[in-house]
Amino acid sequence: MIPFRKYPNGRLETRRPRFASLAFFARGIFAWAFVFAFVLAARATDVTFDVQPRLLNLGETAQATLVFHGVRSAPNVEFPQIPGLQITGTGQQMQFGTGGSRVSLTYNLFPQKPGTHVIGPYELEYNGEKIQIPQVTLEVRAPAGNAGAATNEMIFARISLPDKPPYIHQVFDLVLNLYSLPGVELARDVNLLGGFPESGFAVGNFEELQTVREEVDGQFYNLRRFRAKARALTAGTFDLRPALRVGVVDPNQRQQRRDPFGFFDPFAGPSATPVSVAAPPAKLTVLSIPEEGRPADFAGAVGQFEFAMDVRPRDLKVGEPITVTCRLRGAGNIASALPPAYRDAEAFKAYDARQVGDVPDPAAGDGAKTFEQVVIPRTDALKELPALRFSYFDPAAAQYRTVSAGPFPLTVHPSENGGSALLLQVPGGVATGGGSLVLGSDIVYLKPAPAHWRNGGGLAAHAPLVIGLHAAAPFALAGLFFATRRRNRLATDIALARRQKAPRSARANLRKAEAALKESAAPAAVFAPLAAAVADYFGHRLNLPPGAVDAPLILDKLRAAQIGEAAQAKWQAFFALSEQIRFASSSALSRDELETWLADVAALLRKAERVKL
Amino acid sequence: MIKRSQNSGFRIQKRIVRFLGLILLAATAALAAPEGVASYERTFADAARAYDENRLPEAIAGFETLANAGQRMPEVLFNLGNAYYRNGNLGQAILAYRQAQRLAPRDPDVRANLGFAAQSAGIELPARNPLAAILIDFSRAEWLAFGSAAFWLLFLALAAWIGAPRFRFVSRPLAAVFAALLLLALAGAWAHRDLRQTPEGVVMTRDQKILSGPLATATPLLAVPEGAIVRMLDVRGNWVETELGETHGWLPAAALTPVR
């Protein structure tokens, strides 16, 4: 902690202590002083000070908060001693947010005697600046003041309405006050159970204000306040019967949680009993806007508004568009307020105004909205755009007000097309040869007949076909994907590729054998392709090199695959006969025998295709 | 062999007969279509002539006939709106213009006449948030065609991505672009679907008031002129829950016609 010091002119100054004797001297002389030590950047700093609650019973504690805005560090600050009030620092906290950084110093204030305790006012010298801290008064009630507490309500609610009856469409604050005795702990969430008119009355979102302490019937209460912007859409008297639901924390359960022998659950909040609290019914009278003095151009805007206009370009030719920008800003029913707009005149054609930019929330109490309107001069005699007036009803003054903007001088040159012919230029469009029409102050003439008439219901009639085509595309894509994957696999996996090729090569050689049989019926000519069929098939099937395929190996593989005794015998006979015919050339087989062998080999190969080798 | 030859000749003869029949059918269809088109063009021309000669009920009937015959095209609806406007039926005119605008959202003539009619009726056209306004600035058919094109281009890009790995440096970003375009088209189609689910409705009769509930004795919230465009949120019996600006309430179903 930094000691403090007060100067003769009553001004407080912050400085870094250098000698203990000097600090001791300062502490002994002045009580209403405190000293800051600064290691802060040299820039304007905002410091706020608050104490809550400011009404309390003896034995309760208040909390003081000293906040340095826009800084990343702050010195320890020691408050001067105040008779009957003990001030203890509890720490500091740094926060970063969209509004910048800030450092909060917190203190507990323990009143030691009843009465009024005054803190401040202070003047801080901070980096060469003088910052005023307002005076804060703390009212402390003696315990005897709580005599009637037992007869008071523990929790109750009230609704606060504006002092003056609001006008229709006037935005006003609606505050729900929730009172609870200091010893009653409430859950953080509070639910609104309704009680506002369902129609003719618009209530925005509620926001909770700072909790304060208030005295009611001689008893202090913690007061939680919930504020919303409200607006009546019709005049008359509304019955407001709001009710709240809030959880009351059970102190017994809280004690159980502190039981050192129990299991502590860090994620379980305090158990709360929901309690419904209804505010006393209140009647809100909404006044209608007076007829007397109502301007002719009044369009229902209620509040306080500013109206500004901009006109560009101001030097142009007949037929060229002028963009008129109207900006409305203020507090009130901004969402439904409409700025004035130009209407068609002899000298110019005016199109509808269009709202641009952000649209204010209907529940917003203030904001801005911008409209753009396109105006096209019909003649070069147009020297200015006249002023526009915006009228609104000011509920604070209970009278109508009118603001205006303009007139706006213009320099309009004759059109290059001659005369004062006006080409239709729709806002946002481009006037081309085919899209331009000579326009009067009327609707655009009929359109010519369509180039193509619909026949048979158009797209709707073909919808199933179109949908089917689109639905087929993913399947085609999936087919392509799998085909590509298979192609890539065959390109990289030689064994698989040869396995796939085996039946094809066997069939090709069998066809050659058939052809040889038809031509000559010579056993050698038939058995050569037959042997090639068998060798190629098993070579590809077993992924063997060309010279490695021989009868014993094939017979071993077939035996291991358990193709059966008969088939094995047939294969052995085929290999024996094949070698005999091909190398010895001594066998004489008839055409029928050759056909039989051809069929047998084909059958044996089919059978071999079905077994796992 | 002889029998087979006879059978083959019979088949050829049968195919020729079938081919000639198809040609005849196609010719009949081709002749029939121009007849329908001629009828539509004649009705359109008659209605336009009636409009020019200020025989407005006949003009309205002519354009209505075309619209009811499946020819709900921007030109027909626009001219129908003009005929209604001239005839003093502001609600019907705004309905026809709005329907035309739904089919041709960026047509400057439709926009101008709708604005003119709205100004005459003393109403403000509903404002939309910028994104919805952009999406509705293209018709449903345009979004569907755009989406279909994006779909097939995406299909081709994916096919190239799968089938031609060497060109993936091109096909991959293209696929991403087409996928984004497809999503945009789906968003546009969704905006129109939203308009179909909770359509706009035009107030067709005068002196209507939005009521706080679906009862004739409910509290009036807002007076709406003929031609006002509201959003139809729900239907309960003979009442329609509506939204106009920030006002939610109920209107009699008989007083509203949806913009479809």
Side-chain angles (χ1 to χ4, degrees), chain A residues 106-186:
Chain A
T106 52
Y107 302 85
N108 279 343
L109 310 182
F110 301 105
Q112 292 160 340
K113 64 178 183 181
T116 302
H117 302 274
V118 179
I119 308 169
Y122 300 123
E123 182 183 85
L124 306 182
E125 264 203 19
Y126 181 79
N127 231 18
E129 299 174 45
K130 291 176 182 174
I131 300 167
Q132 300 296 329
I133 300 297
Q135 173 181 302
V136 175
T137 305
L138 198 62
E139 289 286 342
V140 181
R141 181 70 54 85
N146 291 341
T151 61
N152 288 334
E153 288 183 272
M154 192 172 70
I155 307 173
F156 63 94
R158 289 179 180 172
I159 183 169
S160 294
L161 298 173
D163 296 335
K164 292 181 180 177
Y167 287 93
I168 182 173
H169 291 311
Q170 180 186 349
V171 178
F172 59 91
D173 283 346
L174 193 67
V175 183
L176 286 174
N177 299 315
L178 180 63
Y179 295 83
S180 61
L181 286 172
V184 176
E185 187 178 352
L186 301 181

Side-chain angles (χ1 to χ4, degrees), chain A residues 199-200 231 233-234 335-336 338 342-344 349-352 354-355 357 362 371 424 426-427 435 437 441-455 459 469-470 473-474 476-477 480-481 484 487, chain B residues 33 37 40-41 44 48 51-52 63 66 70-76 78-79 82 85-86 97 103 107-113 115-116 118-119 124-125 144 148 151-152 155 158-159 162-163 212 219-221 246:
Chain A
S199 61
R231 183 159 65 93
L233 305 177
T234 57
S336 56
L338 291 174
Y342 288 110
R343 288 185 171 273
D344 274 357
K349 164 77 181 171
Y351 288 90
D352 286 347
R354 297 185 307 168
Q355 187 170 349
F371 283 77
L424 171 62
V426 174
L437 292 170
S441 57
D442 201 354
I443 55 174
V444 180
Y445 183 65
L446 298 182
K447 279 184 178 295
H452 302 287
W453 294 91
R454 283 181 186 159
N455 194 10
L459 188 66
L469 270 176
H470 284 76
L477 206 60
L480 178 67
F481 172 75
T484 307
R487 187 191 66 191
Chain B
V37 168
Y40 297 144
E41 284 183 347
F44 190 93
Y51 178 89
D52 286 339
F63 291 126
L66 285 171
Q71 303 299 330
R72 297 177 67 82
M73 303 171 79
E75 294 86 350
V76 173
F78 176 86
N79 292 357
N82 275 13
Y85 180 83
R86 283 265 179 270
Y97 287 140
L103 298 173
D107 188 310
D109 295 343
V110 175
R111 198 176 287 186
N113 279 12
F116 202 91
Q119 209 171 17
E124 188 183 358
L125 295 174
L144 289 178
S148 182
F151 177 86
W152 286 111
F155 171 77
L158 288 175
I162 292 170
S212 61
T219 310
L221 299 179
E246 61 191 61

Side-chain angles (χ1 to χ4, degrees), chain A residues 398-432:
Chain A
Q399 63 181 16
Y400 291 97
R401 297 188 188 280
T402 299
V403 288
S404 64
F408 302 95
L410 298 174
T411 304
V412 181
H413 304 285
S415 167
E416 289 174 356
N417 296 332
S420 58
L422 175 63
L423 290 178
L424 171 62
Q425 291 184 326
V426 174
V430 178
T432 58

Side-chain angles (χ1 to χ4, degrees), chain A residues 306-328:
Chain A
E306 294 172 10
F307 174 58
M309 285 179 63
D310 186 25
V311 172
R312 291 181 185 180
R314 299 193 185 184
D315 189 335
L316 70 167
K317 294 175 184 173
V318 169
E320 290 181 348
I322 303 170
T323 301
V324 179
T325 306
C326 299
R327 185 169 175 79
L328 196 61

